[in-house]
Amino acid sequence: MAAASGTVAWLDPVAPTGPESVTTTNNHLRMMFENDCAFGEDRDYSHGTRFDYAHSLSQENSLSLSDAWGISISQNIYTPTTHTRWAVPGEHPYAGDFRVGGAYMQRWHNFGHCVELQVGMMGKAAFARDTQNFVHKIGNMEQWDGWGSQAPSEAAVQFSARQDYRLSFLETHFANGWETDAMCYTQENIGTLHIDGRVGFNVRIGTNLPTNLQMTRSGGANYGLGLLLKENYNPAATSVFFSLGGDVGYYARDYGIDGGVFHRFENKTVSRRPWQAELRAGVGVARRNVDYFAGAVYHTPTYRHGKGSLYGCFSITLNW
């Protein structure tokens, strides 16, 4: 493949230059699922579901500042490896959370940020047991009987912030239509569920790389609407790309391991690892205003003497 004459230059976030964006969609509805059964396991972080909707407040017909707001619903489920009626020493406790959230986003061509406030419930009121039992019944899988030992019920209040930075010096356009792009990000979470801070990256290679479909997780401040505006994207054409990303972070609190803030966790079985990292890879396709993404995530052990977790993720985003 013959490379084009050079890579894209760094861009000024205040006075953007370059061709206009042809993106015309202002509404983005995403459905995201994560599950470790994709690789034959059912332990630790067992399942995650997130539905989110984002709406851009300004027509995306240029690379100037664009504001957006979003709402979300999400649920996470955690289980040990061994199926018993009691908590298992040395294995992840039973835990679950359910949250609804509201977010505000500001998007530029080389920087974007999102803040989200989520509220909900942890423990029995999060219906993690009911969700798992329902899914296992449909799939004719074994039921797990140890939910009576799950982390205590408490209100969930979580604030998340994310900042995305465009790495334009890594962008390349090839003569055959292929291209690359890259970004790095920082994220901070504080609340009754998690207290952590992370720094990560994401790179893509493909054709007609879309604005959204940055590889994100089911946690807070992550929406199907990309935070970085992108020129030279044609939503009428098909997009195909490969994505690789990862991050490293410090975790000062984890409800699923440490238990609630206001109630003693009698069935605590493990100790949290403060430093954790993950690696993500996947393939995305965008066609006729529908975005598809499928990938895999490896997360290093979240507790001492534990194993790393490998699970699959899938999302579909409708844009109009």
Side-chain angles (χ1 to χ4, degrees), residues 155-185:
V157 180
Q158 190 74 18
F159 177 79
S160 301
R162 177 185 170 111
Q163 306 81 34
D164 285 6
Y165 308 87
R166 179 179 179 181
L167 302 178
S168 54
F169 66 93
L170 293 177
E171 296 179 1
T172 305
H173 296 268
F174 300 97
N176 63 356
W178 284 70
E179 58 182 313
T180 65
D181 68 4
M183 53 86 76
C184 65
Y185 66 89

Side-chain angles (χ1 to χ4, degrees), residues 186-244:
T186 52
Q187 181 158 352
E188 307 81 37
N189 303 285
I190 184 169
T192 57
L193 280 170
H194 303 282
I195 300 177
D196 64 78
R198 306 197 301 271
V199 57
F201 74 97
N202 195 85
V203 296
R204 299 187 299 179
I205 180 170
T207 59
N208 191 37
L209 296 177
T211 300
N212 50 2
L213 278 177
Q214 302 290 358
M215 186 158 182
T216 55
R217 289 284 311 283
S218 65
N222 289 321
Y223 279 77
L225 172 65
L227 296 178
L228 300 177
L229 298 175
K230 184 176 176 62
E231 67 273 23
N232 297 323
Y233 168 58
N234 180 7
T238 300
S239 302
V240 179
F241 66 89
F242 172 77
S243 175
L244 178 68

Side-chain angles (χ1 to χ4, degrees), residues 81 102 134 145 173 211 259-260:
T81 304
F134 175 74
D145 300 321
H173 296 268
T211 300

Side-chain angles (χ1 to χ4, degrees), residues 30-282:
R30 181 179 64 168
M31 295 157 280
M32 175 183 286
F33 305 94
E34 298 175 331
N35 199 294
D36 56 1
C37 284
F39 297 97
E41 295 185 303
D42 200 354
R43 61 175 176 83
D44 297 345
Y45 178 46
S46 181
H47 180 76
T49 302
R50 179 178 170 97
F51 296 89
D52 55 54
Y53 167 79
H55 175 72
S56 177
L57 298 177
S58 57
Q59 189 69 29
E60 298 177 15
N61 57 4
S62 71
L63 297 180
S64 59
L65 171 67
S66 175
D67 294 336
W69 60 265
I71 55 176
S72 68
I73 300 175
S74 57
Q75 182 188 52
N76 291 331
I77 300 174
Y78 305 85
T79 60
T81 304
T82 307
H83 300 198
T84 69
R85 292 183 175 272
W86 305 275
V88 183
E91 297 186 11
H92 201 295
Y94 286 87
D97 61 80
F98 177 85
R99 293 158 285 154
V100 296
Y104 172 72
M105 290 158 269
Q106 285 191 320
R107 309 163 65 219
W108 289 275
H109 59 293
N110 67 347
F111 172 74
H113 68 89
C114 174
V115 292
E116 182 173 28
L117 177 64
Q118 296 174 300
V119 296
M121 291 298 299
M122 305 177 290
K124 185 177 180 180
F127 303 109
R129 175 180 184 173
D130 304 87
T131 300
Q132 187 185 61
N133 287 347
F134 175 74
V135 172
H136 281 209
K137 184 176 181 179
I138 292 178
N140 195 28
M141 296 181 287
E142 181 182 359
Q143 298 289 350
W144 291 44
D145 300 321
W147 280 101
S149 64
Q150 68 178 301
S153 295
E154 286 190 359
V157 180
Q158 190 74 18
F159 177 79
S160 301
R162 177 185 170 111
Q163 306 81 34
D164 285 6
Y165 308 87
R166 179 179 179 181
L167 302 178
S168 54
F169 66 93
L170 293 177
E171 296 179 1
T172 305
H173 296 268
F174 300 97
N176 63 356
W178 284 70
E179 58 182 313
T180 65
D181 68 4
M183 53 86 76
C184 65
Y185 66 89
T186 52
Q187 181 158 352
E188 307 81 37
N189 303 285
I190 184 169
T192 57
L193 280 170
H194 303 282
I195 300 177
D196 64 78
R198 306 197 301 271
V199 57
F201 74 97
N202 195 85
V203 296
R204 299 187 299 179
I205 180 170
T207 59
N208 191 37
L209 296 177
T211 300
N212 50 2
L213 278 177
Q214 302 290 358
M215 186 158 182
T216 55
R217 289 284 311 283
S218 65
N222 289 321
Y223 279 77
L225 172 65
L227 296 178
L228 300 177
L229 298 175
K230 184 176 176 62
E231 67 273 23
N232 297 323
Y233 168 58
N234 180 7
T238 300
S239 302
V240 179
F241 66 89
F242 172 77
S243 175
L244 178 68
D247 65 39
V248 60
Y250 183 85
Y251 293 72
R253 174 170 176 75
D254 184 341
Y255 158 77
I257 293 175
D258 300 317
V261 176
F262 305 104
H263 297 83
R264 179 180 175 84
F265 189 11
E266 300 291 345
N267 294 308
K268 181 177 179 179
T269 57
V270 293
S271 298
R272 167 183 32 84
R273 282 185 178 269
W275 289 100
Q276 301 173 27
E278 69 179 31
L279 184 66
R280 307 179 295 269

